Structures are given as C-alpha cells and as structure tokens.
Amino acid sequence: MSKSRILTGITTTGTPHLGNYVGAIRPAIEASQHQDNLSFYFLADFHALIKCQDPGQVHQSTREIAATWLACGLNTDNVVFYRQSDIPEIPELCWLLNCMAAKGLMNRAHAYKAAVAANQEAGEDPDFGVTMGLYSYPVLMAADILMFNANQVPVGKDQIQHVEMARDIAARFNHHYGEHFVLPEAVVDDKVAVLQGLDGRKMSKSYGNTIPLFLGEKQLKKHINKIKTNLLEPGEPKDPDTSTVFQLWQAFATEQQTADMRQAFADGIAWGEAKKQLFELVNEELMEARERYNELLASPTAIEEKLQQGAEKARTYSQPLLEKCRSAVGIRPLN
Ligand code: TRP
C-alpha cells in the first residue's frame, strides 16, 4: 500500500517564535523521524506576497524559516522540504484550478469576507485594498495541496475552510476532466498546545506578544522575565493552570518536571525563581539548535542547496501530474 501523504505550508512572513515551535515545528520534525507517511513541508513564499509587500522581509523570513526547520533537525531524507516558488508547476496548476473554481466559493472565504467587513465598518468601498492575491488565495492553496495529491493537511482551525475549498475544486475538476486529484482532508490536532504569549493571550505575531525562537541567551532571559504574572508574594500558593509561566514550562518539561513544578506552585515558589527555572529549561532544549541556526544563517548557500535538492525531489511528483492535467484539459502537442 502506498504511504499516506501529509502536506503543510508555512507562510514566509515573520520570524519563528516559541508558539510556532511548540505548535507546528516540533511535532512536524518528530513526525519526520518516522517513515510511515510521506510528508511534504514547504515554504509558502507566494502566499507571503499576499500579506507582505516588503521584499527584504519576505526574503529574510524565507531564510530564517528554512534555517529554523533545518536547525531543529528536520530529516530531509524522509520528507520533501521545498520552497513553493521553486516549483513552477504550482502556479501553472493554479491557473487550471482557477478555471474550475467558482467565484461564489471565493466570495465566502473568511479572509476576504473579513476584509470586506472591515471596509464596510470604515465606510470604504467593500473591495478597498483587496488584491486578487487575497481574493484567490484559496485557489493557490488548493494548487499547493492537489499538486502532491496530499491525503492529509495539518492546519490550524483558521485554515480548515481553505482545505475544504481545495476539496471542492478538486471534486469539480475530477468530475469534469476525470479522476486526477485525491480529495484532501484537514487535520486539526487538539493535542498540540496553543502557547500563550507574554500578555497571556495566544502567542501570535499580530499581538506582538511573542518570544522569538532563537534569541540569544540574554534576550531569551529578558523576554521570559517580561511574562505577565500576578502580584502574589514568594511563599503564597500560586495557580499553575492560569499561569503563562507554568504553561510554557509544561510545553518543554517531562511529566515528572511538570508534576514537580505544579507542587512548587502550590508551595509558593517566587515568580522570579519560576522564571529562572523556565529560562534554564527552554534554553537547554534550544541551545544546540540555536547554534546550528546561527551557523546556517551565516552560510545561506547551505540552505539554498537543501532547498534545491528538495525542489528536485518535489518536481518528480509535480511534473508528471501537471503533464496529465494539461493533457486532460486539452493542452498537449498537436501531433
Ligand atoms: N495558508 C496557510 C497559512 O497561512 C499556509 C499554506 C499555504 C498552506 N499553502 C498551504 C497550509 C497548503 C497547508 C497546505 O497558514
């Protein structure tokens, strides 16, 4: 039986933070150690252009995200790791899918609807500032997924709708042109932690409350010290279950260490002491990867080589499938 295919994309805007690490990077890298599935992980740099029109930032973020995945130990022998823009078949398939995607379906996409709602709120034209990139974002995402006939697509809740749209578009293409695409399924893992940020809300770039993944030790310590706590004094029992410090601890600790910290909270550990221990724990897990990360950033050629190898591997899947799709729609040599 052929392996189940798992595929997910990472938009290349911003610098990876602890929330990305715990929620996406670490589990994906663990999964890359097993060969029971065939995994495709890619840098969605075409998608980045929808949100970010600063070329320097797109470029820098692509480099940082690629370096992060490699530094954290992604096993590129077991997975296909590539950059979306290195696969010319993706935008080409995107066009074929555009011609099968109902406009009405795109009208219902959350990201577009949110933009329209914000414009209406502000008394603007409903489509003010809405690019075709934003509007047809789900079609590009469908091309990403269908290009590799992914069975499962691990995503956050906000992306479920997009995977369903990919299914819809695939079904329509299959119905019209014959069976070419697997119908993908979104997989949302409730077990992976959604980390809280410095202010206790979900750690997210848009809230400006993140702890970047590969800060130097001093900076990491500084950020951890900024985590919001309450005013309870040393010796006063503290509630672990409402504490960001404890939640972060749990994301990095063994079960035993978690139980011990729970007890320490009950015993009234000082916030300063809990944060000091948290720094040591997080630093310990990230230390080696941080060193590799800094080395990789200093030699982008090594990263680029990995990505080129990944692209070559990816295209052994995308080229034959696109060939079939072209032929199916009537685009083929005349003789
Ligand atoms: N849109 C996704 C996000 O913002 C990233 C992405 C692009 C993606 N293409 C994909 C995720 C294909 C899964 C499959 O998170």
Side-chain angles (χ1 to χ4, degrees):
M1 218 192 72
S2 64
K3 292 181 186 184
S4 180
R5 294 191 189 177
I6 300 179
L7 175 143
T8 200
I10 310 105
T11 307
T12 54
T13 47
T15 298
H17 55 69
L18 289 185
N20 301 137
Y21 175 74
V22 168
I25 303 170
R26 193 172 60 185
I29 285 172
E30 265 162 27
S32 81
Q33 307 305 339
H34 310 294
Q35 288 180 296
D36 19 348
N37 298 311
L38 178 56
S39 296
F40 297 80
Y41 299 129
F42 70 96
L43 306 167
D45 55 346
F46 281 147
H47 276 102
L49 302 183
I50 297 166
K51 280 192 250 174
C52 175
Q53 282 105 37
D54 173 347
Q57 200 183 321
V58 171
H59 189 251
Q60 176 65 11
S61 169
T62 305
R63 190 193 293 194
E64 288 179 354
I65 293 175
T68 297
W69 284 69
L70 296 172
C72 289
L74 183 72
N75 184 339
T76 52
D77 294 330
N78 286 348
V79 307
V80 191
F81 181 60
Y82 56 98
R83 173 172 49 196
Q84 185 184 31
S85 62
D86 285 333
I87 316 298
E89 292 78 21
I90 293 174
E92 196 170 336
L93 177 62
C94 185
W95 181 254
L96 302 191
L97 298 178
N98 259 309
C99 297
M100 274 285 123
K103 174 173 178 288
L105 185 67
M106 295 305 112
N107 290 341
R108 293 197 288 276
H110 296 316
Y112 170 68
K113 273 174 50 175
V116 169
N119 281 334
Q120 276 162 342
E121 188 105 332
E124 295 280 0
D125 182 88
D127 279 331
F128 177 74
V130 176
T131 63
M132 284 307 293
L134 175 66
Y135 187 65
S136 57
Y137 171 123
V139 188
L140 179 57
M141 187 156 154
D144 291 331
I145 297 170
L146 304 180
M147 187 82 264
F148 297 96
N149 271 331
N151 305 91
Q152 295 179 340
V153 184
V155 284
K157 286 198 184 73
D158 59 317
Q159 299 290 322
I160 297 175
Q161 188 196 35
H162 295 149
V163 181
E164 282 167 0
M165 289 180 165
R167 270 179 87 87
D168 267 19
I169 298 170
R172 186 149 167 191
F173 192 100
N174 285 350
H175 180 73
H176 200 85
Y177 292 117
E179 292 293 316
H180 294 277
F181 298 123
V182 165
L183 303 188
E185 262 172 59
V187 185
V188 181
D189 190 344
D190 298 323
K191 289 194 302 292
V192 303
V194 176
L195 274 199
Q196 289 160 219
L198 297 175
D199 58 358
R201 291 185 292 173
K202 177 187 168 189
M203 191 181 288
S204 161
K205 196 186 140 205
S206 42
Y207 294 147
N209 64 358
T210 68
I211 303 179
L213 180 54
F214 290 131
L215 290 172
E217 291 193 1
K218 255 197 183 153
Q219 281 295 322
L220 177 60
K221 201 175 275 174
K222 242 186 171 169
H223 275 73
I224 288 178
N225 281 330
K226 276 194 288 194
I227 298 172
K228 197 169 146 198
T229 57
N230 55 30
L231 295 173
L232 291 173
E233 298 287 339
E236 291 186 272
K238 299 175 176 65
D239 178 14
D241 296 315
T242 55
S243 161
T244 303
V245 175
F246 184 79
Q247 197 226 14
L248 262 160
W249 176 269
Q250 198 166 18
F252 286 85
T254 61
E255 259 175 56
Q256 186 57 51
Q257 287 171 318
T258 301
D260 292 348
M261 187 54 86
R262 189 172 275 285
Q263 187 59 49
F265 267 61
D267 294 343
I269 188 172
W271 285 121
E273 178 58 24
K275 286 179 171 179
K276 181 165 158 277
Q277 292 188 24
L278 176 62
F279 162 74
E280 280 159 14
L281 184 73
V282 173
N283 191 47
E284 174 71 27
E285 177 163 333
L286 298 180
M287 210 155 34
E288 278 176 40
R290 182 198 295 134
E291 213 166 289
R292 281 194 298 270
Y293 175 76
N294 288 325
E295 282 166 18
L296 280 164
L297 279 192
S299 75
T301 312
I303 310 175
E304 190 58 41
E305 260 168 32
K306 279 279 182 207
L307 291 177
Q308 291 309 321
Q309 286 164 7
E312 206 176 305
K313 217 191 301 182
R315 295 189 72 194
T316 64
Y317 297 92
S318 59
Q319 281 174 321
L321 182 57
L322 182 69
E323 222 26 65
K324 275 193 217 143
C325 294
R326 287 177 68 123
S327 178
V329 303
I331 295 179
R332 55 174 180 267
L334 297 178
N335 49 359

